[in-house]
């Protein structure tokens, strides 16, 4: 398993990801999206992320069969450079994330983080019927892409009222993309008594690790040690659930060390659980901020990729401005909804 993106349901999870509050949409891309969704003869758009902004790469001509579309995209699949491909075939749209295994770790994080935001940007203009994540050219099967519906379509009829509300909440924020920024709102559940008590202990320094999860319509506490297992050299995955999503708060006890928020989302977790945890994430962060716990850094992905080296590196750097008694600069808060975009990495 490798850390995704976000997105919200971690479908096609690949790598750990850092989240930023929002992604911009360049004027050129916005114009081309509007033109494509308005009926122009566009078979696809290649999209890159540069400086936290979605930018247009290549524009593909319209085609009538999958084989021709695959021939058009194959030259765009660079073995070291991720991109997104918005593809159109017979009036239906699909989103393919090309994140090759040979790409740099930071690029993998960025593109995993941005997929949900791009989905929302497109949703304000059109409808995505299909979706895939490709890590190698052998996986880039356009015919298979347009043959399988998204998880959302396949599971919608089975969702409860709460789950449908979470999904509609995500869709309702898509119109923000038209102005060039994508953020999100959130589905908020209260803390259980046990979770609130443990969070108070975390605030007071009584513990440096806290695991939370969505339990019914509450945010509940998961059993965990009070200290991260990093001192022993063990990965954090040793204390994370292997089959269900959760949130983790952790820090070093040293003064000025950053506070990390982790959204662990195993690829094999149930779609419903992924969706609810993604939708509640922003509200959980807002609640932490309201209690004076300012999250400095945020990661999302599969438990197995939260390596000892990665977390030690993220936890060891002091928060900028915290040294010498200076007040640390404000960290960008979580968006009002938890649809995949959290605090920016510092």
């Amino acid at each position: 398993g490798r850390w995704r993106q976000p997105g919200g349901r971690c479908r096609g999870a690949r790598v750990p990801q850092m989240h930023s509050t929002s992604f911009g949409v360049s004027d050129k891309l916005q114009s081309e999206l509007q033109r494509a969704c308005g009926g122009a003869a566009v078979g696809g758009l290649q999209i890159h992320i540069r400086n936290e902004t979605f930018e247009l790469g290549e524009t593909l001509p319209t085609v009538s069969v999958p084989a021709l579309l695959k021939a058009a995209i194959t030259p765009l699949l660079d073995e070291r450079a991720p991109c997104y491909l918005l593809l159109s075939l017979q009036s239906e749209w699909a989103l393919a994330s090309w994140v090759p295994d040979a790409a740099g770790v930071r690029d993998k994080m960025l593109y995993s983080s941005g997929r949900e935001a791009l989905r929302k940007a497109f949703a304000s203009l059109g409808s995505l019927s299909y979706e895939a994540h490709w890590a190698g050219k052998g996986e880039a099967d356009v015919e298979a892409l347009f043959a399988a519906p998204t998880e959302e379509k396949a599971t919608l009829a089975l969702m409860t009222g709460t789950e449908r509300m979470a999904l509609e909440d995500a869709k309702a924020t898509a119109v923000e993309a038209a102005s060039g920024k994508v953020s999100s709102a959130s589905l908020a559940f209260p803390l259980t008594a046990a979770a609130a008590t443990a969070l108070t202990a975390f605030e007071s320094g009584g513990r440096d690790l806290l695991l939370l999860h969505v339990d019914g319509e509450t945010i509940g506490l998961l059993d965990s040690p009070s200290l991260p297992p990093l001192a022993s050299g063990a990965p954090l995955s040793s204390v994370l659930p292997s089959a269900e999503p959760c949130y983790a708060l952790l820090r070093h006890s040293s003064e000025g060390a950053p506070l990390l928020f982790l959204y662990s989302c195993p690829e094999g977790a149930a779609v419903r659980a992924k969706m609810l945890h993604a939708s509640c994430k922003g509200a959980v962060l807002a609640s932490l901020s309201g209690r004076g716990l300012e999250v400095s850094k945020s990661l999302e992905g599969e438990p197995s990729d939260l390596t000892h080296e990665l977390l030690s590196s993220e936890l060891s750097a002091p928060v900028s401005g915290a040294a010498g008694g200076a007040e640390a600069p404000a960290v960008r808060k979580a968006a009002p909804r938890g649809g995949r975009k959290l605090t920016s990495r510092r």
Side-chain angles (χ1 to χ4, degrees):
R2 294 174 290 176
W3 274 69
R4 172 183 73 94
Q5 125 257 148
R9 277 152 275 165
C10 306
R11 185 169 180 263
R14 285 295 184 269
V15 296
Q17 43 185 280
M18 298 277 186
H19 287 281
S20 108
T21 303
S22 61
F23 285 88
V25 180
S26 71
D27 292 342
K28 186 175 181 181
L29 175 58
Q30 186 69 25
S31 176
E32 196 67 8
L33 284 171
Q34 291 172 339
R35 193 174 75 86
C37 295
V42 175
L45 303 174
Q46 182 191 34
I47 298 170
H48 302 287
I49 298 177
R50 296 189 177 94
N51 298 321
E52 296 192 5
T53 299
F54 295 121
E55 294 192 357
L56 180 66
E58 299 293 327
T59 299
L60 303 177
T62 186
V63 295
S64 58
V65 294
L68 294 177
L69 190 54
K70 181 174 183 178
I73 68 170
T74 298
L76 305 180
L77 303 181
D78 188 319
E79 291 287 2
R80 300 192 64 83
C83 69
Y84 303 109
L85 295 165
L86 272 171
L87 305 174
S88 177
L89 191 66
Q90 298 178 356
S91 300
E92 290 193 294
W93 284 92
L95 172 61
S97 299
W98 169 250
V99 184
D101 287 330
V105 173
R106 295 298 176 187
D107 282 343
K108 289 180 179 180
M109 291 180 183
L110 185 62
Y111 278 81
S112 296
S113 169
R115 188 170 72 173
E116 179 70 6
L118 180 59
R119 184 190 292 123
K120 291 188 177 83
F122 183 82
S124 66
L125 302 169
S127 176
L128 283 173
S129 299
Y130 309 94
E131 192 172 335
H133 177 101
W134 297 333
K137 289 188 176 181
E139 299 177 7
D141 188 334
V142 174
E143 185 171 0
L145 170 61
F146 280 89
T150 60
E151 286 179 300
E152 179 180 311
K153 271 188 172 182
T155 61
L156 185 61
L158 302 177
M159 292 179 182
T160 65
T162 296
E163 293 161 352
R164 286 175 181 268
M165 181 171 63
L167 182 59
E168 291 306 313
D169 179 58
K171 289 181 177 179
T173 61
V175 293
E176 297 175 12
S179 65
K181 290 287 180 181
V182 182
S183 60
S184 12
S186 82
L187 186 65
F189 292 141
L191 292 168
T192 63
T197 299
L199 188 55
T200 299
F202 188 93
E203 291 171 339
S204 65
R207 60 188 303 155
D208 291 323
L209 174 65
L210 185 65
L211 301 185
L212 303 170
H213 70 145
V214 178
D215 183 13
E217 296 191 7
T218 61
I219 303 299
L221 179 69
L222 286 172
D223 289 338
S224 72
S226 61
L227 297 174
L230 304 180
S232 64
L236 186 64
S237 58
S238 63
V239 299
L240 294 175
S242 60
E244 67 168 310
C246 74
Y247 313 117
L249 275 175
L250 69 155
R251 66 188 170 203
H252 275 322
S253 56
S254 58
E255 184 177 355
L259 172 61
L260 263 62
F261 179 90
L262 309 176
Y263 170 33
S264 171
C265 188
E267 186 172 4
V271 173
R272 296 179 181 186
K274 292 176 183 179
M275 182 190 67
L276 285 173
H277 280 78
S279 293
C280 291
K281 185 172 57 180
V284 171
L285 281 164
S287 175
L288 295 176
S289 179
R291 299 174 71 113
L293 290 169
E294 294 295 341
V295 171
S296 305
K297 301 180 181 181
S298 176
L299 288 165
E300 175 180 335
E302 288 199 51
S304 60
D305 286 299
L306 280 175
T307 63
H308 177 271
E309 292 77 14
L310 175 65
L311 291 181
S312 293
S313 172
E314 297 298 341
L315 285 168
S316 62
V319 177
S320 175
E327 183 178 354
V331 178
R332 281 192 283 173
K333 302 296 192 304
R337 191 189 75 84
R340 296 202 181 269
K341 307 309 151 293
L342 306 183
T343 58
S344 64
R345 182 177 186 275
R346 291 189 179 272

